[in-house]
mmCIF file of all heavy atoms in Angstrom:
data_model
loop_
_atom_site.group_PDB
_atom_site.id
_atom_site.type_symbol
_atom_site.label_atom_id
_atom_site.label_comp_id
_atom_site.label_asym_id
_atom_site.label_seq_id
_atom_site.Cartn_x
_atom_site.Cartn_y
_atom_site.Cartn_z
ATOM 1 N N LEU Y 24 55.447 144.800 162.067
ATOM 2 C CA LEU Y 24 55.461 143.418 161.473
ATOM 3 C C LEU Y 24 55.060 143.471 160.040
ATOM 4 O O LEU Y 24 55.607 142.889 159.121
ATOM 5 C CB LEU Y 24 54.674 142.496 162.327
ATOM 6 C CG LEU Y 24 54.598 140.996 161.854
ATOM 7 C CD1 LEU Y 24 56.076 140.423 161.741
ATOM 8 C CD2 LEU Y 24 53.704 140.208 162.681
ATOM 9 N N SER Y 25 53.927 144.153 159.789
ATOM 10 C CA SER Y 25 53.350 144.156 158.441
ATOM 11 C C SER Y 25 54.330 144.878 157.463
ATOM 12 O O SER Y 25 54.534 144.506 156.294
ATOM 13 C CB SER Y 25 51.993 144.969 158.402
ATOM 14 O OG SER Y 25 51.538 145.258 157.190
ATOM 15 N N ALA Y 26 55.012 145.967 157.951
ATOM 16 C CA ALA Y 26 55.926 146.640 157.094
ATOM 17 C C ALA Y 26 57.172 145.876 156.816
ATOM 18 O O ALA Y 26 57.590 145.747 155.681
ATOM 19 C CB ALA Y 26 56.395 148.033 157.804
ATOM 20 N N VAL Y 27 57.668 145.132 157.791
ATOM 21 C CA VAL Y 27 58.788 144.255 157.545
ATOM 22 C C VAL Y 27 58.468 143.161 156.646
ATOM 23 O O VAL Y 27 59.241 142.795 155.686
ATOM 24 C CB VAL Y 27 59.345 143.678 158.846
ATOM 25 C CG1 VAL Y 27 60.435 142.662 158.643
ATOM 26 C CG2 VAL Y 27 59.934 144.799 159.738
ATOM 27 N N GLN Y 28 57.310 142.562 156.658
ATOM 28 C CA GLN Y 28 56.910 141.504 155.782
ATOM 29 C C GLN Y 28 56.841 141.926 154.352
ATOM 30 O O GLN Y 28 57.306 141.336 153.446
ATOM 31 C CB GLN Y 28 55.530 140.903 156.258
ATOM 32 C CG GLN Y 28 55.613 140.108 157.483
ATOM 33 C CD GLN Y 28 54.292 139.563 157.980
ATOM 34 O OE1 GLN Y 28 53.174 140.294 157.731
ATOM 35 N NE2 GLN Y 28 54.243 138.489 158.754
ATOM 36 N N GLU Y 29 56.289 143.213 154.172
ATOM 37 C CA GLU Y 29 56.187 143.781 152.877
ATOM 38 C C GLU Y 29 57.547 144.131 152.304
ATOM 39 O O GLU Y 29 57.905 143.989 151.083
ATOM 40 C CB GLU Y 29 55.231 145.015 152.851
ATOM 41 C CG GLU Y 29 55.027 145.605 151.499
ATOM 42 C CD GLU Y 29 54.202 144.827 150.623
ATOM 43 O OE1 GLU Y 29 53.346 144.039 151.112
ATOM 44 O OE2 GLU Y 29 54.228 145.014 149.392
ATOM 45 N N ASN Y 30 58.352 144.613 153.220
ATOM 46 C CA ASN Y 30 59.751 144.949 152.804
ATOM 47 C C ASN Y 30 60.543 143.806 152.375
ATOM 48 O O ASN Y 30 61.284 143.870 151.327
ATOM 49 C CB ASN Y 30 60.421 145.542 154.044
ATOM 50 C CG ASN Y 30 61.855 146.121 153.670
ATOM 51 O OD1 ASN Y 30 62.068 147.088 153.070
ATOM 52 N ND2 ASN Y 30 62.842 145.382 154.278
ATOM 53 N N VAL Y 31 60.392 142.789 153.162
ATOM 54 C CA VAL Y 31 61.198 141.487 152.751
ATOM 55 C C VAL Y 31 60.641 140.893 151.447
ATOM 56 O O VAL Y 31 61.464 140.520 150.528
ATOM 57 C CB VAL Y 31 61.135 140.352 153.768
ATOM 58 C CG1 VAL Y 31 61.631 139.075 153.334
ATOM 59 C CG2 VAL Y 31 61.768 140.884 155.131
ATOM 60 N N SER Y 32 59.320 140.940 151.182
ATOM 61 C CA SER Y 32 58.809 140.385 149.954
ATOM 62 C C SER Y 32 59.313 141.214 148.689
ATOM 63 O O SER Y 32 59.670 140.780 147.706
ATOM 64 C CB SER Y 32 57.243 140.572 150.080
ATOM 65 O OG SER Y 32 56.609 140.175 148.818
ATOM 66 N N THR Y 33 59.342 142.565 148.896
ATOM 67 C CA THR Y 33 59.801 143.535 147.861
ATOM 68 C C THR Y 33 61.305 143.174 147.506
ATOM 69 O O THR Y 33 61.744 143.144 146.414
ATOM 70 C CB THR Y 33 59.564 144.896 148.114
ATOM 71 O OG1 THR Y 33 58.167 145.182 148.426
ATOM 72 C CG2 THR Y 33 60.013 145.817 147.043
ATOM 73 N N TRP Y 34 62.085 143.057 148.585
ATOM 74 C CA TRP Y 34 63.536 142.772 148.489
ATOM 75 C C TRP Y 34 63.796 141.534 147.702
ATOM 76 O O TRP Y 34 64.717 141.497 146.865
ATOM 77 C CB TRP Y 34 64.255 142.843 149.793
ATOM 78 C CG TRP Y 34 65.698 142.637 149.827
ATOM 79 C CD1 TRP Y 34 66.618 143.368 149.158
ATOM 80 C CD2 TRP Y 34 66.347 141.417 150.306
ATOM 81 N NE1 TRP Y 34 67.908 142.782 149.239
ATOM 82 C CE2 TRP Y 34 67.797 141.598 149.998
ATOM 83 C CE3 TRP Y 34 65.987 140.324 151.024
ATOM 84 C CZ2 TRP Y 34 68.662 140.720 150.375
ATOM 85 C CZ3 TRP Y 34 66.967 139.407 151.371
ATOM 86 C CH2 TRP Y 34 68.293 139.597 151.062
ATOM 87 N N LEU Y 35 63.181 140.469 148.061
ATOM 88 C CA LEU Y 35 63.315 139.211 147.394
ATOM 89 C C LEU Y 35 62.908 139.333 145.914
ATOM 90 O O LEU Y 35 63.538 138.734 145.133
ATOM 91 C CB LEU Y 35 62.447 138.041 148.133
ATOM 92 C CG LEU Y 35 62.872 137.681 149.434
ATOM 93 C CD1 LEU Y 35 61.950 136.679 150.152
ATOM 94 C CD2 LEU Y 35 64.276 137.124 149.436
ATOM 95 N N GLU Y 36 61.921 140.104 145.557
ATOM 96 C CA GLU Y 36 61.513 140.262 144.230
ATOM 97 C C GLU Y 36 62.597 141.073 143.526
ATOM 98 O O GLU Y 36 63.014 140.702 142.301
ATOM 99 C CB GLU Y 36 60.248 141.116 144.114
ATOM 100 C CG GLU Y 36 59.687 141.289 142.711
ATOM 101 C CD GLU Y 36 58.302 142.099 142.740
ATOM 102 O OE1 GLU Y 36 57.767 142.138 143.886
ATOM 103 O OE2 GLU Y 36 57.846 142.428 141.652
ATOM 104 N N PHE Y 37 63.221 142.050 144.179
ATOM 105 C CA PHE Y 37 64.282 142.802 143.534
ATOM 106 C C PHE Y 37 65.493 141.909 143.233
ATOM 107 O O PHE Y 37 66.151 141.991 142.238
ATOM 108 C CB PHE Y 37 64.726 143.932 144.459
ATOM 109 C CG PHE Y 37 63.867 145.201 144.357
ATOM 110 C CD1 PHE Y 37 64.012 146.092 145.332
ATOM 111 C CD2 PHE Y 37 62.824 145.288 143.412
ATOM 112 C CE1 PHE Y 37 63.215 147.283 145.408
ATOM 113 C CE2 PHE Y 37 62.073 146.371 143.441
ATOM 114 C CZ PHE Y 37 62.169 147.334 144.353
ATOM 115 N N LEU Y 38 65.894 141.071 144.250
ATOM 116 C CA LEU Y 38 67.007 140.098 144.061
ATOM 117 C C LEU Y 38 66.746 139.212 142.895
ATOM 118 O O LEU Y 38 67.669 138.986 142.057
ATOM 119 C CB LEU Y 38 67.101 139.259 145.273
ATOM 120 C CG LEU Y 38 67.749 139.829 146.533
ATOM 121 C CD1 LEU Y 38 67.953 138.785 147.599
ATOM 122 C CD2 LEU Y 38 69.127 140.498 146.143
ATOM 123 N N ALA Y 39 65.576 138.669 142.770
ATOM 124 C CA ALA Y 39 65.307 137.777 141.696
ATOM 125 C C ALA Y 39 65.324 138.404 140.267
ATOM 126 O O ALA Y 39 65.751 137.759 139.197
ATOM 127 C CB ALA Y 39 63.857 137.153 141.810
ATOM 128 N N ASN Y 40 64.954 139.715 140.200
ATOM 129 C CA ASN Y 40 64.893 140.368 138.874
ATOM 130 C C ASN Y 40 66.135 141.190 138.606
ATOM 131 O O ASN Y 40 66.340 141.556 137.342
ATOM 132 C CB ASN Y 40 63.665 141.156 138.823
ATOM 133 C CG ASN Y 40 62.340 140.453 138.981
ATOM 134 O OD1 ASN Y 40 62.255 139.302 138.419
ATOM 135 N ND2 ASN Y 40 61.358 141.003 139.601
ATOM 136 N N SER Y 41 66.942 141.661 139.517
ATOM 137 C CA SER Y 41 67.864 142.633 139.218
ATOM 138 C C SER Y 41 69.368 142.268 139.732
ATOM 139 O O SER Y 41 70.257 143.059 139.350
ATOM 140 C CB SER Y 41 67.417 143.965 139.962
ATOM 141 O OG SER Y 41 66.098 144.366 139.503
ATOM 142 N N LEU Y 42 69.478 141.308 140.545
ATOM 143 C CA LEU Y 42 70.780 141.128 141.151
ATOM 144 C C LEU Y 42 71.915 140.843 140.090
ATOM 145 O O LEU Y 42 73.045 141.466 140.295
ATOM 146 C CB LEU Y 42 70.801 139.901 142.120
ATOM 147 C CG LEU Y 42 72.069 139.624 142.950
ATOM 148 C CD1 LEU Y 42 72.399 140.824 143.820
ATOM 149 C CD2 LEU Y 42 71.877 138.474 143.776
ATOM 150 N N VAL Y 43 71.670 140.051 139.088
ATOM 151 C CA VAL Y 43 72.760 139.763 138.216
ATOM 152 C C VAL Y 43 73.201 141.048 137.399
ATOM 153 O O VAL Y 43 74.335 141.264 137.377
ATOM 154 C CB VAL Y 43 72.232 138.740 137.222
ATOM 155 C CG1 VAL Y 43 73.380 138.502 136.113
ATOM 156 C CG2 VAL Y 43 71.999 137.394 137.924
ATOM 157 N N VAL Y 44 72.287 141.759 136.907
ATOM 158 C CA VAL Y 44 72.606 142.957 136.131
ATOM 159 C C VAL Y 44 73.240 144.060 137.111
ATOM 160 O O VAL Y 44 74.224 144.782 136.734
ATOM 161 C CB VAL Y 44 71.409 143.572 135.383
ATOM 162 C CG1 VAL Y 44 70.406 144.027 136.398
ATOM 163 C CG2 VAL Y 44 71.837 144.651 134.426
ATOM 164 N N LEU Y 45 72.804 144.108 138.306
ATOM 165 C CA LEU Y 45 73.429 145.073 139.224
ATOM 166 C C LEU Y 45 74.958 144.611 139.535
ATOM 167 O O LEU Y 45 75.740 145.521 139.587
ATOM 168 C CB LEU Y 45 72.746 145.008 140.545
ATOM 169 C CG LEU Y 45 71.449 146.044 140.746
ATOM 170 C CD1 LEU Y 45 70.839 145.841 142.068
ATOM 171 C CD2 LEU Y 45 72.144 147.423 140.640
ATOM 172 N N ILE Y 46 75.203 143.375 139.741
ATOM 173 C CA ILE Y 46 76.574 142.977 139.947
ATOM 174 C C ILE Y 46 77.450 143.165 138.778
ATOM 175 O O ILE Y 46 78.576 143.604 138.883
ATOM 176 C CB ILE Y 46 76.537 141.375 140.395
ATOM 177 C CG1 ILE Y 46 75.969 141.302 141.809
ATOM 178 C CG2 ILE Y 46 77.998 140.865 140.377
ATOM 179 C CD1 ILE Y 46 75.950 139.883 142.346
ATOM 180 N N VAL Y 47 76.887 142.895 137.615
ATOM 181 C CA VAL Y 47 77.665 143.141 136.365
ATOM 182 C C VAL Y 47 78.069 144.607 136.227
ATOM 183 O O VAL Y 47 79.247 145.001 136.022
ATOM 184 C CB VAL Y 47 76.963 142.561 135.192
ATOM 185 C CG1 VAL Y 47 77.723 142.996 133.878
ATOM 186 C CG2 VAL Y 47 76.810 141.121 135.174
ATOM 187 N N ARG Y 48 77.044 145.468 136.367
ATOM 188 C CA ARG Y 48 77.346 146.889 136.266
ATOM 189 C C ARG Y 48 78.253 147.400 137.391
ATOM 190 O O ARG Y 48 79.187 148.243 137.064
ATOM 191 C CB ARG Y 48 75.941 147.658 136.277
ATOM 192 C CG ARG Y 48 76.115 149.186 136.097
ATOM 193 C CD ARG Y 48 74.824 149.924 136.290
ATOM 194 N NE ARG Y 48 75.195 151.368 136.158
ATOM 195 C CZ ARG Y 48 75.164 152.133 135.030
ATOM 196 N NH1 ARG Y 48 74.889 151.504 133.860
ATOM 197 N NH2 ARG Y 48 75.510 153.381 135.024
ATOM 198 N N THR Y 49 77.951 147.033 138.566
ATOM 199 C CA THR Y 49 78.751 147.471 139.730
ATOM 200 C C THR Y 49 80.162 147.030 139.576
ATOM 201 O O THR Y 49 81.118 147.813 139.916
ATOM 202 C CB THR Y 49 78.137 146.999 141.002
ATOM 203 O OG1 THR Y 49 76.774 147.437 141.071
ATOM 204 C CG2 THR Y 49 78.833 147.560 142.249
#
């Protein structure tokens, strides 16, 4: 449970900071 919570938190942070540039490059 602790690992999944940390995982989701990190993923949401990645989405907020990187999704747009990732989609443009991809």
